[in-house]
Amino acid sequence: MANLGERVLAGDIRAASRLIRNLEDGIPDTDLIMKDIFLKTGKSHVIGITGAPGAGKSTLTDELIAAFRKKDRSVGVMAVDPSSPFTGGAILGDRIRMMRHAEDKKVFVRSMASRGNMGGLSKAVGESIHVMDVLGQEVIIVETCGVGQQEVDIINHAHTVIVVLVPGMGDEVQALKAGLMEIADIFVINKADRDGAGKLYKEVLSVIEMSSRNCGGDGWTIPVLMVESVLEPHKFAASVAALGEKIEEHHQYLVANNLIEARIRNKTAAELNEALWASIMQPVLNELNAEGEFEMMVDQLMKRHIDPYTLAREIAGRYMKRSPCGDGSSADQS
Amino acid sequence: MSRKLRVLIAKPGLDGHDRGAKVLARAFRDEGYEVIYTGCHQTPEMIAAVAIQEDVDLVGLSCLSGAHNYLFPQVTRLLKEEGADDIVVMGGGIIPEQDHAALHEAGIAAIFGPGTPLDAITGWINDNVKPRD
Amino acid sequence: MFTPDLLDKSSQLRRKWEDEVKRTVEKHADQKESWTTLSDMDIKRLYGPEDIKDMDFARDIGYPGQFPYLRGNQVTGYRGKYWTFRMFSGMSTAVETNRRWHYLLQAGQTGLSTAFDFPTLMGYDTDSPRAKGECGKCGVAIDTIDDFQDLIQGIPLDKITTSMTINPPASVLWAMYIASAELQGVPLDKIGGTIQNDMLKEFIAQKTFMCPPDPSVKLISDTVEFGTHHVPKWNTISISGYHIREAGSTAVQELAFTLRDGMEYIEDATRRKGLHVDQFAQRLSFFFNAHIDFFEEIAKLRAARRIWARALKERYGAQDPRSLWMRFHTQTAGCSLTAQQPYNNVVRTAIEALAAVLGGTQSLHTNSLDEVFCLPSDSAVQIAIRTQQIIAEETGAANTIDPLAGSYFVESLTNQMEEAAWDYIHKIDDMGGMVKAIERGFPQMELSDAAYKFQRQIDSGEKTMVGINKYVEAEEQVNIPIVDIDESIEEEQLRRLAAVKRSRDSRYVAECLNDVLTVCKKGDNVMPTVIAAVKAHATVQEVCDVYREVYGEYRDPGIY
Ligand SMILES: Nc1nc2c(ncn2[C@@H]2O[C@H](COP(=O)(O)OP(=O)(O)O)[C@@H](O)[C@H]2O)c(=O)[nH]1
Ligand SMILES: [Mg+2]
């Protein structure tokens, strides 16, 4: 296993793609590999792209790859698509839009299925970003769709978040008010060939003007970019190149204002959280479940033979030298 | 904590007859696999690179242009060069019987001709291809 | 259609019959519960006057050569002239295809038809890295006008019509034909033939594409305009449902998408080129699939004629009766053939061909029994062409015009087809036309759904394919002689191309290509400059690269 980590650090694509697979499959002891990798990360600029399914995110990502490659940046892409809730299978459709870069050794695209709401996806994406980071991808684009909590968690791995909106898809402005506003660093109005692109542009601008993040917060004025239609390939390429510039500008802004620290701090805290969960809660739960104890405890609770708080303390006592919340007496003794 | 089968469905060559490839992509999703589809008009180099980056267990090649004798072995050769010959490669399309032996020789594990029921293909996969550990 | 008296009588008798059916079915249940066409249209046990009582004879049926042309364009039907027996062929090299053409002309074929290899179809030369392994595989490789000259060697261009199945580079191949006619000294108003030149169905179904939809349609309108003014006997677009069906559509989808494609071309040529519909509508022809569901196919072809006539008259204000004619070629369904028990394919093809004839086709290709495996062998082609001759001259099917007209069932099914097709057409109108619908992935998705559903129906046995899911032979030995394309022809073609590139005046070629570029950028008609370029021995790819540069390259969106 350790061998895999060394190979990744040596730039072996095959090892990297295998490691990402292990991360998404939740293979035990992958943390033993990640521990060496983590220390060498932090060099990449991570860009998140989110928006409704069909908004044109993958098409945009494809052109962004081209724009970054023109500037000789290496690019990694993590593209998340939903799994079928019925069969658990998935057709991962993002990659098809990026096939023209398939032979470019400095582009690494990886598709990932969301696998329902079982948790762990955000962790797997975050760790995969680390893998791409140590592989030397200078820019890493994370594409995910929708605005559920899971997607927001994923997108929080990014330094720069792009929200893609399309005219005529319904409740864009509503969605803005409902939370996208909180996460966007750049808005993109896509599919300029559709009716209503200009109107949407104005609406988004006015929502931004009214929002608190515009005047306060990190001080970055959220730009709204109209991207030309992909049906006009030359214009599309030029406007996406401009988007690429804007993304870099945002990154420079974060660096110049020491804001990148804050962003990475949040992400890093989340990682610690996830690691703690994985190494403490998950094994405990696994053990309780394996012996059927968990269900038995639920039975007890149902019958009101015992309360969950006492049970929790009891289990904590079983695994930890020290009770987790303290009982008031031990707090100052340590 | 369980591995899922990851499959790449690819159309090497210049023909655009993607009916079979797309039907297969859907059938595989319905079988519970995670499927990546490349679309039409891909080169063997592109296909091999994607198979590796996506860490798939199986590559299904579909070609109806008659160029399979060149294109299929090219894919297996490139995978081998990258040390990725543990990825199973199967082929489909209009492949005359007389070409099968040479294709098997070149590392194409199975060849499915026109009229093969979907269940026969997924059955073969379930018996012969496991997510690699 | 009927007097109240007759309808009364009919409904009395029908009730009596229905009672008896009920009693019988209680004793002996039907073999299955639902009976549908191949495309899942519900079919009744019996049709009667009630089913077509709302038809108006003059408005909906009429006579041959009369609006709405349900019964055909030609007043004499097949008595004046059978349909054209046109067999699609093309193999390996131009010289080889030329040999096959001479063979077919001797065997009684009346029109020529070419298949090109995939590099040519996609606008690549044999020396492109993308062409490796493909040369001559499914048709003839054409790189330059030199190959083209070999192809038409000994073929009198003023007497024989040629159909070229070519799409993205259609303007280039057509330019080669025109240039060759000029070199043979044949005036352009004497040459006739067809280029497929139908890009919309490529985006929908066959996926042979080069530039995005809108500029692709622009290039097509260029050929329409040039043809209208200079090559008046040429069919500039063969609007094709064949491939839509092969990609898995239903009969109604084939009908609706194909006709809506045709409407898109009319709209573009009138809007972009300022042509009047009557100036060019007669040069549009159609190409349909004849699948295995006999009556469904006949109804589809009859409905197609009527929809087109109505659309041309009512939507586009065509005045000339000839503009209202839908002329079409038909090919039997390749996707209905099986590699298993391949001789059954002869039977399938014969039935499909008969449907095409009863549907009133003007031209027909019958598939060879070995087409599932490879390029057809000479002996298989012979059976296929004999099939057409037997239908024409032995069966009597061609004696009478539109012999199924007035059939309660066939008229009713024809109406049903037409109605369902208009529903799709209006839906696409609402999306802003076919180009917009394609950009949204609408027809692609419809096809993908239909194809998957059909495959599931075959797998579950709900639909039958003999030899595939029923009457399967366990240990089948297929003994079909396979036509093998010699791998060495690629090298030969590479040598030929290299020789042409060496001997031509490359400065002049570059100038000509630059002229094409200028014209593309200005948005003018490309044809004159392309003709000049191919005469200067510019290759197919060199011209296509100019198109790609100006219009951008379209990549498969892979909609599933
Ligand atoms: N009309 C139009 N369609 C676009 C544009 N950009 C992307 N699309 C199409 O929208 C569909 C969905 O695009 P995709 O990039 O896969 O969207 P995603 O689901 O957000 O990743 C595809 O068919 C694209 O071709 C655009 O600018 N105009
Ligand atoms: Mg996407």
Side-chain angles (χ1 to χ4, degrees), chain A residues 119-139:
Chain A
L121 177 63
S122 170
K123 178 169 187 283
V125 171
E127 290 170 333
S128 300
I129 291 171
H130 287 326
V131 176
M132 289 195 173
D133 187 332
V134 296
L135 261 192
Q137 312 308 122
E138 292 158 283
V139 174

Side-chain angles (χ1 to χ4, degrees), chain A residues 50-258:
Chain A
T50 192
K57 299 177 296 294
S58 303
T59 310
L60 198 65
T61 302
D62 170 67
E63 198 60 54
L64 270 176
I65 299 173
F68 286 121
R69 291 299 297 129
K70 276 220 183 86
K71 303 176 101 186
D72 204 29
R73 304 283 167 78
S74 53
V75 185
V77 176
M78 285 293 311
V80 183
D81 256 348
S83 299
S84 157
F86 307 108
T87 65
I91 299 179
L92 305 171
D94 299 318
R95 152 77 78 174
I96 196 168
R97 312 249 178 270
M98 308 169 199
M99 282 305 291
R100 67 171 151 149
H101 305 292
E103 282 184 70
D104 185 341
K105 296 252 184 291
K106 294 208 158 168
V107 178
F108 185 166
V109 178
R110 179 53 180 243
S111 315
M112 202 176 264
S114 67
R115 298 190 183 174
N117 263 320
M118 304 199 308
L121 177 63
S122 170
K123 178 169 187 283
V125 171
E127 290 170 333
S128 300
I129 291 171
H130 287 326
V131 176
M132 289 195 173
D133 187 332
V134 296
L135 261 192
Q137 312 308 122
E138 292 158 283
V139 174
I140 299 171
I141 303 174
V142 182
E143 178 191 333
T144 177
C145 69
V147 284
Q149 189 53 49
Q150 176 162 286
E151 288 76 24
V152 172
D153 288 347
I154 292 171
I155 223 69
N156 275 338
H157 292 295
H159 305 120
T160 304
V161 176
I162 299 167
V163 173
V164 181
L165 300 171
V166 177
M169 292 204 23
D171 305 324
E172 297 86 6
V173 179
Q174 236 19 62
L176 287 182
K177 290 178 181 152
L180 280 181
M181 202 69 233
E182 304 300 316
I183 60 170
D185 297 305
I186 298 172
F187 279 108
V188 165
I189 311 285
N190 215 9
K191 305 201 183 183
D193 51 299
R194 292 268 178 91
D195 289 341
K199 182 163 165 276
L200 179 60
Y201 176 78
K202 289 197 194 102
E203 284 171 351
V204 176
L205 272 186
S206 76
V207 174
I208 291 173
E209 272 165 27
M210 290 185 303
S211 95
S212 56
R213 247 191 94 198
N214 177 45
C215 25
D218 54 15
W220 166 256
T221 310
I222 305 173
V224 185
L225 266 68
M226 288 262 253
V227 164
E228 296 277 353
S229 167
V230 72
L231 305 172
E232 307 258 6
H234 296 299
K235 290 186 187 168
F236 179 64
S239 63
V240 174
L243 171 63
E245 297 296 334
K246 200 46 125 179
I247 292 169
E248 304 245 36
E249 192 184 316
H250 179 252
H251 190 238
Q252 281 155 14
Y253 177 87
L254 291 181
V255 173
N257 293 285
N258 283 328

Side-chain angles (χ1 to χ4, degrees), chain B residues 11-19 22-31 37-43 46 63-71 74 93-99 113-120, chain C residues 118-120 122 124 129-134 137-138 205-209 245-249 291 335 339-340 371-374 444-445 448-456 459 468 482-484 487 556 558-560:
Chain B
K11 275 196 63 57
L14 296 177
D15 82 278
H17 302 102
D18 57 359
R19 176 179 178 166
K22 287 179 173 183
V23 163
L24 215 56
R26 286 196 185 197
F28 286 179
R29 176 197 57 198
D30 291 351
E31 192 67 21
Y37 172 52
T38 62
C40 300
H41 313 140
Q42 308 302 312
T43 63
M46 293 161 108
C63 175
L64 285 87
S65 76
H68 50 267
N69 285 338
Y70 169 75
L71 294 167
Q74 196 67 4
I94 301 181
I95 320 276
E97 194 76 36
Q98 61 193 21
D99 295 345
T116 313
L118 295 176
D119 291 348
Chain C
F118 278 101
T120 310
M122 290 288 290
Y124 296 115
R130 308 215 51 157
K132 208 150 189 301
E134 308 263 12
K137 280 289 152 52
C138 280
Q206 198 177 229
K207 318 294 159 70
T208 309
F209 32 55
R245 193 68 182 281
E246 290 289 306
S249 84
H291 216 299
C335 63
Q340 296 75 2
E371 234 144 299
V372 204
F373 302 100
C374 57
Q444 298 96 308
M445 201 64 199
S448 191
D449 286 344
Y452 191 50
K453 182 173 173 201
F454 181 76
Q455 185 61 46
R456 284 293 181 200
D459 284 357
I468 298 272
I482 302 279
V483 178
D484 207 12
E487 307 280 343
D556 182 13
I559 295 159
Y560 37 78

